[in-house]
Amino acid sequence: MHLSVVIPLLNEQDSLEELFQRIKTVCHQNGFDFEVIFIDDGSTDDSWKIIEFLAEVNREIKAIRFRKNYGKSPALMAAFKQAEGDIIITMDADLQDFPEEIPELYEVLKSKNADIISGWKQNRQDPKLTKNLPSKIFNSVARKVSGLELHDFNCGLKAYRSEVAKELELHGDMHRYIPVLAKNIGFGRIYEKKVRHQARKYGKSKFGKRRFVNGFLDLITLSFINRFGNKPMHLFGAVGTLMFIIGFLAALYLGLDKLFKVYILEKNARLITDNPYFYISLVAMILGTQLFLAGFIGEILIRSQKNKQEFEVRETLNLNSKKQFS
C-alpha cells in the first residue's frame, strides 16, 4: 500500500466528511492505494457515528475509538501500529491542514529519501498574540536545544517512512517533538516543506494556554532523556559521588583540625558538633548518597522496564483485532 493517512481527533463532527472526501479525491487523482485511519480520542459529540457512517461505504476507512481522552501522543501511537502504508501522513482533523498537500509531501519524501518531511505552516491563520508569538518563541528554543533547524516542530502535517513511525515511542505530549525523537533514535534525514494553513472552519481549538508551559517542560525532559535516559548513573552517580567526597573531606578537615589543636597546640577546642560546617558536610554526604542511590535505582528500572500501553481501546472499525495493540 502506498499511503496511510493518520488523523487523530477530538469532537470534530462537522469537519470529518469534508476532510475524508478531499483526501479521497486527492489520492484517487494521484493513483494512490491508500487508507485513512481515524483515532477518536474520547469524543463526546457525534464524531464516531459519522466515522461509522463513512466507513460503511468507504473501504479505505479504518478507525480506533479510545475509551476516554488520552491525548495526541497515544492516538498517534495506536494508529502507527496499525498503519500498512509505505509512507504515513499525519494531519489534524480541523481542516486547517490542506489534504491537497499530500501528493507533494509524498513525492518530496521519496525524492529526498527522507525519514521525515515536517510541514512548515505559512501565513498562519491563528491569533497572533495567543498562538503565533508563543509558537515562534517555542520553536526558537526547540531549535537551540535539539540542534534541528526546523521552523515548526508542532505542525500536525508530516510525512514519515513507515519504518520511522513504527520505531517511535511517544509518551505524554511528546508528539510535539517527533522530529527530535526520530533524530535521537538514528533517523537523521529530516527536512521541512512549506505548507498552506487556513483558519479553523468549525468548532474551536482543543489546546489551551497550558500547552506552551507543558511544551517547554517536555523540551527540558526530552533534553535530559536524550543525554541521560539510558544511563542515569552517569548524572546522578557522578553528582552524588562528588557531593559525598566534598562532604567527607570537609568533615575530615574538621576532625583533623580539632586533633591538631588538642594534641599539637594543646589548646581547648570546641566540639565538632558545635561547628555549623559539620552539619553542612553531613548534609552533603547524605545528599550525595541519595543521589548515587537514585542513579543506581534508575539503572535497575531501565533494565527491568516493560513497555506499558498508555491507552485503552473501546472499539475499532475495519481492523483485525484489538489484540494488535498489546
Side-chain angles (χ1 to χ4, degrees):
M1 182 179 292
H2 295 122
L3 193 64
S4 295
V5 182
V6 169
I7 305 172
L9 63 106
L10 175 64
N11 297 333
E12 298 288 358
Q13 62 181 20
D14 298 318
S15 63
L16 294 177
E17 187 169 358
E18 178 183 342
L19 175 62
F20 174 73
Q21 292 302 331
R22 288 171 65 181
I23 293 171
K24 183 177 180 179
T25 299
V26 166
C27 289
H28 284 171
Q29 287 175 346
N30 289 270
F32 291 142
D33 181 18
F34 74 101
E35 64 180 2
V36 176
I37 304 178
F38 289 107
I39 313 94
D40 185 348
D41 187 22
S43 293
T44 56
D45 63 0
D46 289 332
S47 293
W48 185 253
K49 290 181 180 179
I50 292 171
I51 293 170
E52 286 182 315
F53 170 76
L54 292 171
E56 288 178 1
V57 293
N58 295 279
R59 64 175 181 81
E60 300 92 351
I61 289 181
K62 300 178 180 179
I64 301 163
R65 187 184 188 188
F66 284 173
R67 292 191 182 277
K68 65 175 185 177
N69 177 234
Y70 289 100
K72 194 171 182 178
S73 292
L76 291 175
M77 283 289 292
F80 289 161
K81 289 181 180 180
Q82 299 293 330
E84 297 179 1
D86 297 328
I87 289 177
I88 298 173
I89 304 282
T90 60
M91 65 171 51
D92 295 333
D94 54 14
L95 291 175
Q96 290 193 272
D97 296 327
F98 282 74
E100 291 74 20
E101 301 276 3
I102 288 175
E104 195 168 348
L105 282 169
Y106 182 93
E107 292 302 325
V108 171
L109 189 139
K110 283 281 191 181
S111 63
K112 290 191 173 184
N113 192 28
D115 295 316
I116 296 177
I117 300 295
S118 182
W120 175 13
K121 294 188 287 283
Q122 302 296 296
N123 299 316
R124 286 191 60 169
Q125 303 300 307
D126 290 321
K128 287 183 169 55
L129 188 61
T130 59
K131 278 197 171 183
N132 291 2
L133 180 60
S135 181
K136 287 182 179 180
I137 297 172
F138 165 80
N139 284 308
S140 176
V141 174
R143 280 195 298 273
K144 293 184 182 299
V145 172
S146 68
L148 276 175
E149 292 300 320
L150 299 180
H151 293 84
D152 193 353
F153 283 80
N154 197 28
C155 179
L157 188 57
K158 290 182 172 68
Y160 310 76
R161 284 194 301 110
S162 176
E163 176 190 359
V164 179
K166 291 183 182 297
E167 285 290 325
L168 291 170
E169 291 290 337
L170 305 179
H171 305 281
D173 291 329
M174 287 297 177
H175 60 272
R176 297 182 180 94
Y177 303 108
I178 284 178
V180 183
L181 293 170
K183 176 187 174 185
N184 290 346
I185 58 178
F187 297 107
R189 297 191 300 273
I190 300 170
Y191 307 97
E192 66 182 353
K193 176 188 174 300
K194 294 180 180 180
V195 296
R196 290 173 289 171
H197 189 251
Q198 64 183 1
R200 175 180 274 273
K201 191 172 182 179
Y202 305 105
K204 58 182 181 179
S205 175
K206 310 305 185 297
F207 299 98
K209 297 178 181 178
R210 283 185 57 84
R211 72 189 186 280
F212 296 111
V213 176
N214 294 340
F216 284 113
L217 293 176
D218 286 339
L219 186 60
I220 295 170
T221 300
L222 185 62
S223 177
F224 173 82
I225 290 175
N226 181 35
R227 296 185 62 186
F228 303 108
N230 292 321
K231 44 182 186 286
M233 181 61 84
H234 287 199
L235 175 65
F236 293 107
V239 175
T241 301
L242 179 63
M243 288 190 68
F244 182 87
I245 290 174
I246 291 173
F248 176 79
L249 291 176
L252 181 63
Y253 169 79
L254 293 174
L256 292 175
D257 179 65
K258 180 173 182 178
L259 290 174
F260 178 78
K261 290 178 179 177
V262 171
Y263 293 104
I264 303 300
L265 300 180
E266 296 183 350
K267 293 182 178 179
N268 291 327
R270 63 177 177 175
L271 293 174
I272 292 179
T273 52
D274 290 338
N275 192 324
Y277 290 106
F278 170 77
Y279 295 100
I280 294 175
S281 63
L282 188 61
V283 169
M285 286 190 287
I286 293 172
L287 289 176
T289 302
Q290 290 179 331
L291 286 170
F292 184 89
L293 289 175
F296 182 71
I297 292 171
E299 294 281 347
I300 294 174
L301 290 175
I302 287 172
R303 284 157 176 73
S304 62
Q305 69 180 355
K306 296 181 180 179
N307 291 331
K308 183 180 179 181
Q309 185 169 286
E310 295 185 356
F311 55 87
E312 290 290 335
V313 175
R314 181 173 177 178
E315 57 185 306
T316 64
L317 289 175
N318 299 332
L319 295 176
N320 293 330
S321 172
K322 294 182 185 179
K323 292 181 180 178
Q324 296 180 8
F325 296 101
S326 60

